Amino acid sequence: THVPISALAQRLGVSPISATERVHRLQDKAQLDHRPYQGVRLTRQGRSTALMVIRRHRLWECFLFGHLGLAWDQVHEIACQLEHAVGGPVANSLETFLEEPVTCPHGNPIPSRGSALRPSPGVPLSDLAPGQQAIVLRIEPESTEVLTLLDHHGLRPGARLSPERPPAPAGLVRLQIGGRSARVPIEATRHVIVAVRA
């Protein structure tokens, strides 16, 4: 499936012109397939490169959070800087040092050394009906702003929750999280992937 450049620009927080320039550079390196009026998608080479960057990013998050004690909602931004600073051999050594974690602190799977990514089950929290019980699996996509908001409400992987009635004011969802009630912006709940409990 091809992604419109406008959607890519919005996700990256840049102008469509800037996004188009980046697309052309990556297309020249055979990382992207760009089709006018359809959008872009990763080539096989581009997907492999992306998975290697994701792998380094999530390993750094594990190290920063678990061994340096940095805040859960701050390690994503720092890992964005470190993911480009080292290559595969350092990432492999980091993985060994960390005893081969399978997920980052935000619950997202870490690609293997062979650039394979395990399937990620779950549904967005925003899809749950009032009264449904669920457990948080992961946060995606991540951003420092979203992570800080979710951390404030205790919405981390492993948290048990349920949407409540009556509905909260417009733009908010009322949740029961670990025995306490909270009002969370609907937009933020779209980033929380959960497993529904029977």
Side-chain angles (χ1 to χ4, degrees):
T1 271
H2 286 72
V3 177
I5 291 181
S6 58
L8 188 63
Q10 184 177 13
R11 178 70 180 93
L12 295 173
V14 299
S15 71
I17 292 174
S18 179
T20 300
E21 290 172 353
R22 294 183 190 189
V23 163
H24 289 157
R25 286 198 298 270
L26 290 172
Q27 187 176 26
D28 289 343
K29 296 178 180 178
Q31 302 284 327
L32 285 180
D33 172 37
H34 174 223
R35 297 190 182 178
Y37 309 109
Q38 292 184 40
V40 299
R41 69 177 177 185
L42 291 169
T43 62
R44 182 176 294 179
Q45 178 181 333
R47 178 173 169 77
S48 178
T49 300
L51 287 172
M52 285 189 292
V53 172
I54 290 170
R55 171 178 161 73
R56 293 194 298 262
H57 177 96
R58 292 178 180 170
L59 287 170
W60 277 120
E61 286 184 327
C62 290
F63 177 75
L64 294 166
F65 178 70
H67 291 271
L68 296 190
L70 299 183
W72 181 82
D73 58 332
Q74 299 299 312
V75 296
H76 172 71
E77 188 171 323
I78 299 169
C80 284
Q81 301 167 35
L82 293 172
E83 67 191 26
H84 301 290
V86 300
V90 174
N92 292 341
S93 296
L94 186 59
E95 179 185 49
T96 299
F97 173 77
L98 295 169
E99 299 180 349
E100 302 183 357
V102 295
T103 62
C104 75
H106 310 115
N108 293 300
I110 298 173
S112 69
R113 294 188 187 198
S115 295
L117 191 61
R118 293 179 312 282
S120 300
V123 298
L125 170 55
S126 54
D127 288 358
L128 265 62
Q132 279 190 293
Q133 304 286 320
I135 184 167
V136 176
L137 298 175
R138 63 188 182 280
I139 311 302
E140 68 172 38
E142 303 161 60
S143 73
T144 299
E145 180 182 8
V146 167
L147 291 171
T148 298
L149 174 66
L150 297 178
D151 190 46
H152 173 73
H153 291 292
L155 284 168
R156 290 189 179 192
R160 298 178 183 276
L161 55 84
S162 177
E164 292 183 324
R165 284 193 176 96
L172 297 173
V173 175
R174 192 188 310 269
L175 299 171
Q176 184 71 211
I177 308 169
R180 64 183 183 82
S181 185
R183 293 180 179 182
V184 180
I186 291 174
E187 185 57 40
T189 66
R190 296 188 177 103
H191 295 259
V192 182
I193 307 302
V194 302
V196 178
R197 299 167 59 199

